[in-house]
Amino acid sequence: MAACGGKEDDTLTMATNAEFPPYEYYENDEIVGIDVEIATAIAEELGMKLEVEDMAFDSVIPAVSSGKADIGVAGMTVDPDRLESVNFSDTYADASQVIIVKEDSAIAGPADLEGKSIGVQLGTTGDTYSSENVKDAKVEQYSKGFEAVQALTQGKIDAVVIDSHTAKEFVKEAEGLKILDEAFTEEEYAIGIAKDNDELLEKVNKALKSLKESGKLDEIVAEYIKADAE
Ligand code: ARG
């Protein structure tokens, strides 16, 4: 669909950052996850073929607004600043930022983050909120969320602020870390679409609605997020 880049008209190009399980991540050489399946289902509804492009998280919105990609699907939180660059579809998931610390950490909630070093993925809402809302925080930006988690394991930083479901996946992969009960923020994920592409926005919303109504969306989510993990 993208006008430039020599893409076929029947290709729907998805910009993402595949460092974000369970929404998008590599399994062997393939990008899989909730967002990929949702986008595949949307492309199917539109009679198109999905093409996934992996890039840095902070390149996803520019790729969409410049028309290099048709849709940005990256566990992307609807946020007023981003709305200045792209439109968002209807939301498809609830999320929150949580705090990961070492099991023996004295940090017990958001208030204890004051003056601490906090690892985040560059350009995410965890990055913005930590920088804007935590007093005297030393925010360390990593290009991948898991790098922040590794830095925490190595004792280089005091905490990581990241989306809840991704936090659960990362903590499973690491040793000696825990997620604090108190969430930092509540957010919702949606698909980013270029501001001048109302036609696609409408089509995507229609496809999302039918995925919600048919139960297909819940099915996709259940495949990746087990019920006991909220
Ligand atoms: N929900 C957060 C945000 O919108 C983090 C998203 C990170 N996504 C990714 N694919 N790395 O900023």
Side-chain angles (χ1 to χ4, degrees), residues 17 20 24 57 74-77 82 121 124-125 163 187 189:
N17 168 250
F20 199 63
E24 47 266 333
F57 181 71
M76 202 157 57
T77 302
R82 293 173 179 169
Q121 184 181 21
T124 59
T125 46
D163 302 53
E187 336 188 324
Y189 295 161

Side-chain angles (χ1 to χ4, degrees), residues 16-21 23-24 35 55-57 60 73-79 82 88 95-97 121-128 143-145 162-163 166 187-189:
T16 196
N17 168 250
E19 300 292 342
F20 199 63
Y23 293 93
E24 47 266 333
D35 285 345
M55 59 190 75
F57 181 71
V60 171
V73 199
M76 202 157 57
T77 302
V78 178
D79 147 283
R82 293 173 179 169
F88 277 109
S96 59
Q97 298 296 310
Q121 184 181 21
L122 175 70
T124 59
T125 46
D127 183 1
T128 330
S143 66
K144 304 175 180 183
I162 197 160
D163 302 53
T166 304
E187 336 188 324
E188 285 179 309
Y189 295 161

Side-chain angles (χ1 to χ4, degrees), residues 217-230:
L217 180 66
D218 288 340
E219 229 172 77
I220 293 173
V221 172
E223 225 183 284
Y224 290 88
I225 298 175
K226 299 289 162 258
D228 67 36
E230 282 153 30

Side-chain angles (χ1 to χ4, degrees), residues 206-224:
K206 218 172 137 216
L208 267 179
K209 189 162 180 270
S210 97
L211 292 178
K212 286 178 187 171
E213 286 172 357
S214 68
K216 170 96 181 159
L217 180 66
D218 288 340
E219 229 172 77
I220 293 173
V221 172
E223 225 183 284
Y224 290 88

Side-chain angles (χ1 to χ4, degrees), residues 6 18 20 23 28 32 75 108 110 126 129 140 144 167 182 187 203 216:
F20 199 63
Y23 293 93
N28 305 318
V32 298
Y129 291 135
E140 303 281 351
K144 304 175 180 183
E182 200 179 334
E187 336 188 324
K203 285 185 182 166
K216 170 96 181 159

